[in-house]
Amino acid sequence: MDPAELYLDLLKKSLTATLFAAEPDHDQQSQAQFLHGFLRHYINGSALTMLPRVRLDHLQSCIVEVVKRSVPGDLIETGVWRGGATIFMRGVLKVLGVTDRNVWVADSFEGLPTPDAEKFPLEAQAIAGPFLTKACNHLAVGIEDVRGNFAAYGLLDEQVRFLKGWFRDTLPQAPIERLAVMRLDGDLYESTRDALVNLYDRLSIGGYVIIDDYGEDSWTYCRRAIDEFRAARRINDPLIRVDSRCYFWQRTA
């Protein structure tokens, strides 16, 4: 393994807190086992991202590919929690010697929004439930904490740009000209739709859309938001599986 790959491998293990422990596995554990591990490893642990290793490997391959093929544009994640995936994005650009692309870190930094209970009953029930409210504090992480996490890895610089606020307010006027990789992790229907509606037209041909929760339908309508948007825009690019929850497509038109 060359030094660059060794660095990125260690970065993945550090961000996921898997240097000395295994990550929770939704597909191999019971729901109770997974949730127990989720709280221990993520919420009460040191991990800076909830992405399984396979999703970080895929994210790296997308970034390497757009740089290799000179697909123009920046990288963005909408919904960043502690910032781990965006820290990794910046790390990959650093390894590749890329100085003309930004990493956009978009989040409310106040937790998840409150869904409309009539339109999105599953989401409303989940957001109001004890797991997300008491155990997870609505997944809220402050912007200064995320900045501090970037700084701890030596990756907080002028190529990292923060967008603080609800997506419906920040994304329409965000000073982003072009995107090459869009990683959507807003969890909910409206957060997912807001990201697509306001960012997709800025995605370059050949760029990637990664949806973290497309395969999750027990508590979120993320899949519906994606399917409706693709149908309305007549997007026929195939949706490809990363793992049981995460899917992506590459824009061709």
Side-chain angles (χ1 to χ4, degrees):
M1 188 177 293
D2 66 35
E5 283 299 322
L6 180 61
Y7 166 74
L8 291 177
D9 182 67
L10 289 172
L11 184 57
K12 292 171 192 173
K13 290 176 179 176
S14 177
L15 292 169
T16 57
T18 55
L19 279 165
F20 304 106
E23 61 197 4
D25 189 335
H26 196 288
D27 296 327
Q28 299 298 321
Q29 298 173 313
S30 69
Q31 183 76 350
Q33 288 175 322
F34 175 77
L35 291 178
H36 176 76
F38 181 91
L39 290 174
R40 173 183 49 80
H41 191 84
Y42 298 124
I43 303 303
N44 300 317
S46 61
L48 298 189
T49 179
M50 299 179 191
L51 271 64
R53 174 63 183 258
V54 65
R55 296 186 204 176
L56 288 177
D57 291 343
H58 172 255
L59 179 59
Q60 178 181 342
S61 70
C62 290
I63 299 170
V64 169
E65 186 68 13
V66 297
V67 171
K68 179 181 178 181
R69 294 188 294 105
S70 299
V71 177
D74 295 337
L75 320 177
I76 190 170
E77 183 175 46
T78 57
V80 306
W81 192 48
R82 293 173 179 165
T86 46
I87 291 170
F88 183 68
M89 289 176 174
R90 184 66 192 95
V92 176
L93 292 183
K94 179 74 77 171
V95 163
L96 296 175
V98 175
T99 60
D100 59 349
R101 297 178 193 255
N102 292 325
V103 173
W104 294 88
V105 186
D107 202 290
S108 70
F109 300 102
E110 297 176 10
L112 296 168
T114 301
D116 185 316
E118 291 188 7
K119 293 180 179 178
F120 312 111
L122 284 178
E123 294 181 350
Q125 183 179 5
I127 295 300
F131 184 77
L132 280 175
T133 56
K134 296 180 180 179
C136 300
N137 189 32
H138 288 298
L139 303 178
V141 179
I143 190 170
E144 292 308 319
D145 291 327
V146 177
R147 287 183 185 274
N149 292 337
F150 269 92
Y153 283 88
L155 293 170
L156 183 64
D157 61 15
E158 68 281 354
Q159 285 177 250
V160 179
R161 306 284 299 276
F162 289 84
L163 291 170
K164 183 181 187 303
W166 304 119
F167 299 154
R168 62 178 177 268
D169 300 322
T170 61
L171 297 182
Q173 304 301 321
I176 303 171
E177 293 184 10
R178 301 298 296 167
L179 288 166
V181 176
M182 294 169 48
R183 187 172 194 286
L184 311 186
D185 198 1
D187 297 324
L188 308 177
Y189 176 96
E190 290 187 312
S191 300
T192 302
R193 187 179 186 281
D194 287 341
L196 285 169
V197 168
N198 291 294
L199 296 177
Y200 191 74
D201 287 334
R202 305 184 221 185
L203 182 69
S204 298
I205 302 300
Y208 293 94
V209 183
I210 306 168
I211 310 102
D212 198 69
D213 294 301
Y214 184 78
E216 175 61 74
D217 59 5
S218 64
W219 68 278
T220 172
Y221 300 98
C222 170
R223 183 187 301 174
R224 184 201 296 178
I226 296 294
D227 290 346
E228 289 177 355
F229 180 82
R230 284 169 54 90
R233 297 289 298 266
R234 295 183 173 86
I235 296 170
N236 296 313
D237 301 323
L239 268 167
I240 301 171
R241 185 183 190 270
V242 177
D243 62 20
S244 65
R245 299 295 186 269
C246 182
Y247 285 69
F248 78 100
W249 80 84
Q250 184 177 23
R251 185 175 185 181
T252 61

